[in-house]
Amino acid sequence: MKAPWQASGAALFLLLGAGLHGLPARAADGTQDSPHRGGTLRLTAVTSAGTLDPQINYTSQYMQLVAVMYDGLLTYPKLEGPAGAQVVPDLAQSMPERLDDGRTWVFTLRDGIRFSDGTPVTVADVAASLRRLFRVGSPTAGSFYGGIRGADDCLRDPARCTLAGGVETDAATRRIIIHLTAPDSEFPQKIAFGHAVILPASTPAHDLGNVAAPGTGPYRIVSSTPDRGMRLERNPYFHEWDAAAQPDGYVDAIQYDYGLSEEDAVTAVERGQYDWMAGLKPLDRLGEIGGRYTAQVHVYPLYGLMFLPMNVNIPPFSDIRARQAVNYALDRRAMTILYGGSGIAAPLCRMVPPGLLPGDGQCAWTEGADPDHPAPRWTRPDMARARQLVHDSGTAGQDVTLIVPATAMGTSMGAYLRDMLQDIGYRARLHPLSAAMEMSYAQNSANHVQISLMGWYADYVSPSNFVDTLFDCDSFHPGSDSSINMSGLCDPGVQALVARIRNEHDPQVTQDLWRRVDDRITRLAPAAPMISISYVDLVSPRVGNYFSTRLYHMTFSRVWVQ
């Protein structure tokens, strides 16, 4: 999932010194009789985050909204700590029955659930929603759901997608049976991800744009203007079935406004004019935040990273030596500083962030190291080696355009990276784009993006979110804004290893196979990993019961306003 852009500075050490690392896990309590129930939660962001279509949007800014508006058969509970990463039933009344060694999964739909327009949720809606993933070109259609029987035909001809033989339903028993072409040990986690939410069968098979589909969560959008904001109010048909899976919510409404600059948003949240801001906190405000507003700041780690995907299908990065050169030349310490310092970032040389595979910190792309002889950690760039690789590749002097988000942090990092590209032999220029459109622009191969600056964090706790989702052949869709494999890599070796993982049940064997995938991706160098990241959240003094998870970030249904 696209990571939230976050900048900080030296003052972050004040924040960390205050002990604001998040809160211990709390039980999920109902809100019906709470004295804190009611009021409007006021949010602000520089811009919108694109389409409101929950099966297409892949940004953290709107995934936070999807979490309180829609449900899938399974979900990740709104619980803090490790419990929040464990899949639980949502619209399914229990965890699915696993048959045929994991090739068949049987769900039973809860009875009595209604969409926000009052219509009952049926098994026909579930089947239609799974087909719609392919018909609208969801970014994860191939990588997450491509194992469903009939998905290959859907990927080749989305308009005629039927998932014939892949999805069976029985209205009388409310059963949904999903057949896979091969076992997939992570299939429940993928069904729990936000793109697999259940929508009415009548939902059009195209990008909904600024129109919100009816959902089953506690809130619904009642008005939305792309350049101004949106308002969410309670779903009158929502009745809490599981307080952990989908809590009723404390606030009565959520007002989300766009247009304030990052500087003005910080001031507004400090003063209580807004309750929360999306995205980065300006570097020049961290001293003020750390010194005067520590009670309103929360810092928590992410399974996340920042990286530079490079297009392996067009010059100069169609030559592996050019890609290796960028990896060697990258000053990851500088990127750590520009993100906010060692308190919330660390140099990263692999496309899997710490905590998911053994060997955290290991680096092939530092002075004196290579993929065959990695160093224990990154120490410094190797500019001489980078320049030599550019020379040997025959790409010296070529034009390179770097796409970055038009944020303070994005442009600061971009200016450094442009200079780095020039230093190793390219004629480089910087092209900032609105943060709302940068990702979709970089994904579309028709735009011929050579290299871009991206943030990414896990959709669920697995290395697959990084080395499979971002580099899987099925994640590359030429000419589409929903082609999350921005490098365009399609490697048979990676595909074969991932296929073995999906058939494997032994966690130790699985981990070793993921390590081999990670090594293969490192050797192919389709991207330059830069830093692993944590997140700094700022809320108003009105916000109580601050609640965040690694997957949903601040959970809008769990906080209250005073």
Side-chain angles (χ1 to χ4, degrees):
M1 194 186 307
K2 188 179 181 183
W5 288 107
Q6 173 67 47
S8 303
L12 179 70
F13 292 104
L14 293 174
L15 307 182
L16 295 174
L20 299 173
H21 290 276
L23 304 176
R26 293 190 292 267
D29 301 319
T31 70
Q32 289 289 341
D33 299 321
S34 171
H36 298 292
R37 187 177 173 90
T40 298
L41 181 68
R42 302 166 302 188
L43 315 176
T44 184
V46 175
T47 66
S48 72
T51 178
L52 296 181
D53 195 317
Q55 293 192 312
I56 296 178
N57 195 290
Y58 209 0
T59 66
S60 64
Q61 185 175 332
Y62 278 2
M63 283 291 179
Q64 287 176 282
L65 294 176
V66 168
V68 298
M69 291 173 59
Y70 299 97
D71 295 278
L73 291 170
L74 307 176
T75 193
Y76 295 95
K78 279 64 171 185
L79 298 174
E80 292 183 307
Q86 305 302 312
V87 175
V88 299
D90 193 358
L91 294 184
Q93 66 183 26
S94 62
M95 290 299 291
E97 184 181 4
R98 175 177 173 159
L99 303 174
D100 192 19
D101 198 32
R103 291 179 176 83
T104 299
W105 301 81
V106 183
F107 300 83
T108 301
L109 185 67
R110 291 184 190 271
D111 194 16
I113 305 292
R114 291 181 178 270
F115 290 109
S116 55
D117 62 1
T119 59
V121 179
T122 69
V123 294
D125 298 311
V126 177
S129 296
L130 292 172
R131 290 192 296 269
R132 189 176 183 274
L133 286 166
F134 298 92
R135 291 181 174 180
V136 300
S138 175
T140 54
S143 58
F144 279 18
Y145 314 107
I148 299 175
R149 194 177 298 168
D152 285 347
D153 291 337
C154 292
L155 290 167
R156 283 191 293 267
D157 190 355
R160 298 183 181 181
C161 177
T162 65
L163 291 180
V167 179
E168 300 176 20
T169 60
D170 185 331
T173 61
R174 305 193 311 281
R175 281 159 56 99
I176 304 103
I177 304 173
I178 301 176
H179 300 282
L180 307 182
T181 57
D184 185 352
S185 57
E186 293 187 351
F187 190 65
Q189 288 90 334
K190 295 170 182 177
I191 285 292
F193 180 60
H195 284 160
V197 297
I198 307 306
L199 307 176
S202 60
T203 305
H206 59 71
D207 188 336
L208 298 176
N210 198 51
V211 176
T216 52
Y219 298 98
R220 59 175 180 161
I221 293 177
V222 296
S223 64
S224 177
T225 305
D227 60 343
R228 297 182 62 185
M230 68 177 78
R231 182 174 178 83
L232 287 75
E233 295 179 356
R234 289 191 180 276
N235 169 7
Y237 295 97
F238 179 81
H239 298 282
E240 186 177 271
W241 57 84
D242 186 316
Q246 190 60 282
D248 189 50
Y250 285 101
V251 299
D252 287 336
I254 301 171
Q255 181 67 41
Y256 207 148
D257 295 333
Y258 312 137
L260 283 185
S261 69
E262 296 155 355
E263 291 277 355
D264 290 342
V266 168
T267 301
V269 174
E270 288 174 345
R271 294 177 178 175
Q273 296 165 320
Y274 282 98
D275 298 311
W276 177 87
M277 63 176 289
L280 61 86
K281 284 56 177 184
L283 188 66
D284 63 351
R285 302 296 293 275
L286 261 291
E288 172 188 324
I289 293 171
R292 296 174 54 192
Y293 299 95
T294 53
Q296 297 170 224
V297 178
H298 303 266
V299 181
Y300 52 91
L302 298 172
Y303 289 119
L305 55 80
M306 294 190 67
F307 71 111
L308 300 170
M310 291 174 276
N311 192 329
V312 304
N313 296 312
I314 60 175
F317 302 118
S318 51
D319 191 302
I320 191 172
R321 291 168 294 187
R323 305 194 298 269
Q324 291 171 336
V326 172
N327 271 285
Y328 277 120
L330 184 57
D331 189 335
R332 291 168 171 86
R333 183 175 290 110
M335 296 296 100
T336 298
I337 293 169
L338 288 172
Y339 188 82
S342 59
I344 57 170
L348 184 68
C349 297
R350 58 200 300 194
M351 283 301 301
V352 177
L356 296 177
L357 283 177
D360 288 346
Q362 193 175 66
C363 186
W365 308 117
T366 189
E367 189 175 78
D370 58 49
D372 290 321
H373 308 92
R377 64 186 182 279
W378 183 88
T379 55
R380 60 182 62 85
D382 191 335
M383 296 301 292
R385 194 168 191 173
R387 294 186 191 104
Q388 186 64 49
L389 283 164
V390 170
H391 175 271
D392 293 347
S393 70
T395 62
Q398 291 188 11
D399 292 328
V400 173
T401 299
L402 170 66
I403 304 297
V404 301
T407 62
M409 185 190 69
T411 52
S412 294
M413 285 185 169
Y416 166 84
L417 294 167
R418 176 201 58 208
D419 293 347
M420 177 203 78
L421 289 167
Q422 291 175 343
D423 197 10
I424 61 175
Y426 295 115
R427 298 170 55 187
R429 74 181 188 97
L430 189 62
H431 186 188
L433 291 174
S434 162
M437 68 174 292
E438 188 231 5
M439 185 181 185
S440 59
Y441 185 87
Q443 288 182 80
N444 195 323
S445 59
N447 295 322
H448 306 292
V449 173
Q450 297 162 298
I451 184 170
S452 54
L453 173 64
M454 290 289 161
W456 195 256
Y457 73 92
D459 299 322
Y460 55 88
V461 183
S462 171
S464 65
N465 286 215
F466 301 91
V467 291
D468 183 22
T469 300
L470 289 171
F471 304 107
D472 185 83
C473 296
D474 288 338
S475 296
F476 180 58
H477 308 289
S480 169
D481 285 353
S482 296
S483 181
I484 202 60
N485 182 349
M486 289 168 278
S487 71
L489 180 75
C490 184
D491 177 65
V494 170
Q495 298 299 112
L497 286 167
V498 171
R500 288 180 59 187
I501 291 169
R502 290 173 177 165
N503 283 274
E504 182 57 58
H505 304 307
D506 186 325
Q508 289 299 115
V509 176
T510 297
Q511 188 175 68
D512 182 65
L513 288 170
W514 279 126
R515 183 193 56 76
R516 291 173 60 185
V517 173
D518 178 47
D519 179 69
R520 179 71 178 163
I521 293 294
T522 298
R523 292 174 184 278
L524 293 170
M530 301 195 328
I531 53 175
S532 59
I533 56 178
S534 294
Y535 190 65
V536 178
D537 228 352
L538 175 67
V539 298
S540 81
R542 295 195 329 139
V543 172
N545 197 48
Y546 178 85
F547 194 105
S548 65
T549 75
R550 286 194 176 193
L551 297 176
Y552 297 117
H553 306 292
M554 190 178 90
T555 307
F556 300 147
S557 59
R558 281 287 181 217
V559 300
W560 63 63
V561 291
Q562 304 174 23

